[in-house]
Amino acid sequence: MKIALMDSGIGLLAATAAVRRLRPDADLVLSLDPDGMPWGPRTPEDLTRRAVAVAEAAAAHRPDALIIGCNTATVHALPALRARLEPGIPVIGTVPAIKPAAAGGGPFAIWATPATTGSPYQRGLIDDFADGVAVTEVPCHGLAEAVERADEAAIEAAVAAAAALTPDDVTTVVLGCTHYELVSERIRAAVQRPGFPPLVLHGSAGAVAAQALRRLGEQPAPRAAADGTLTVLLSGRAGSLPEPALAYEEGRLLKTVSPAR
């Protein structure tokens, strides 16, 4: 089994690590776009062009499925990618975990990029799944960029700024950008209020990995032989994991890179 994942940068690490943990025997293809990142400020049309190019580079390696490891790319490019690749290659998008957060019933916050915060896409998810639940949209200025660079000081400052915008009574935080899952425990520490129950964090990586297996009719096998290979593509070129990836547990899990084929 071979599963490809795509993103402009290392935000895909969380979903990649989740796939690796569920199926350590799966071959993985990571397709990044260092030449075109960040995708967030691009127009939807430009972003879609970049995403299609990155997806086609991955598709050349004949994966059984493709995961879009990026919320923004899912919003803008999922229809184009499915039109281009399915049914031959199932395409799985990444959506903020608003539905399970709302099911908890308590007030929750959605941490997302400034471009996603307040967007019709995110507001639509809130309207569909969080009716009657108090929701605060928190724009996280610079956090994804800081995580991408593994810039400790910038991460700390961005997390603190977003925490200051998060109401004291929230019981749950939805991590609405895949980069944020790489620093989830720092977010927890910044938002947790003394005397309140433990904060619940909802990311998407585990659900996306499980959905990819379901689309392929496969089952988790976490005890399978850990012989899955790792191929890294950088704007279509054979490469290796960017150095900042190794600052995170998810990146270190993947640090043994096989040659691109």
Side-chain angles (χ1 to χ4, degrees):
M1 180 170 55
K2 182 182 290 185
I3 295 177
L5 299 97
M6 58 169 283
D7 190 4
S8 62
I10 64 173
L12 52 62
L13 286 179
T16 305
V19 172
R20 177 63 88 214
R21 291 183 179 111
L22 289 177
R23 289 298 299 258
D25 57 336
D27 293 337
L28 303 178
V29 178
L30 308 190
S31 190
L32 288 72
D33 188 26
D35 293 356
M37 68 175 302
W39 283 350
R42 293 180 176 273
T43 65
E45 296 77 16
D46 190 23
L47 188 155
T48 297
R49 283 193 293 271
R50 302 294 312 188
V52 167
V54 167
E56 289 183 337
H61 290 256
R62 303 175 65 85
D64 299 300
L66 172 69
I67 292 172
I68 308 173
C70 173
N71 297 88
T72 302
T74 299
V75 171
H76 296 297
L78 180 59
L81 293 174
R82 284 184 166 162
R84 186 69 62 96
L85 299 177
E86 291 187 341
I89 302 175
V91 180
I92 297 92
T94 299
V95 177
I98 292 172
K99 184 176 181 179
F108 70 92
I110 306 169
W111 282 33
T113 64
T116 299
T117 300
S119 66
Y121 164 74
Q122 184 161 288
R123 289 285 167 83
L125 292 174
I126 293 169
D127 291 343
D128 289 343
F129 299 120
D131 185 38
V133 180
V135 181
T136 301
E137 296 180 89
V138 177
C140 301
H141 295 276
L143 181 53
E145 294 82 358
V147 172
E148 182 70 30
R149 301 190 307 270
D151 183 330
E152 294 292 331
I155 291 170
E156 182 177 354
V159 167
L165 299 175
T166 304
D168 288 347
D169 63 346
V170 301
T171 60
T172 300
V173 172
V174 173
L175 303 177
C177 170
T178 54
H179 281 80
Y180 302 170
E181 297 190 51
L182 301 178
V183 292
S184 59
E185 290 310 310
R186 300 188 214 189
I187 293 171
R188 184 191 305 279
V191 177
Q192 180 68 56
R193 313 301 184 193
F196 279 75
L199 185 74
V200 177
L201 296 180
H202 281 288
S204 302
V208 166
Q211 176 66 3
L213 294 185
R214 283 194 293 271
R215 290 288 301 273
L216 294 175
E218 298 281 352
Q219 296 294 322
R223 296 188 179 180
D227 55 8
T229 62
L230 183 66
T231 297
V232 178
L233 304 172
L234 304 176
S235 298
R237 304 178 299 272
S240 58
L241 283 175
E243 190 65 28
L246 302 182
Y248 304 103
E249 178 185 352
E250 294 86 348
R252 292 190 292 273
L253 179 66
L254 307 168
K255 66 182 178 180
T256 303
V257 181
S258 65
R261 295 189 299 276

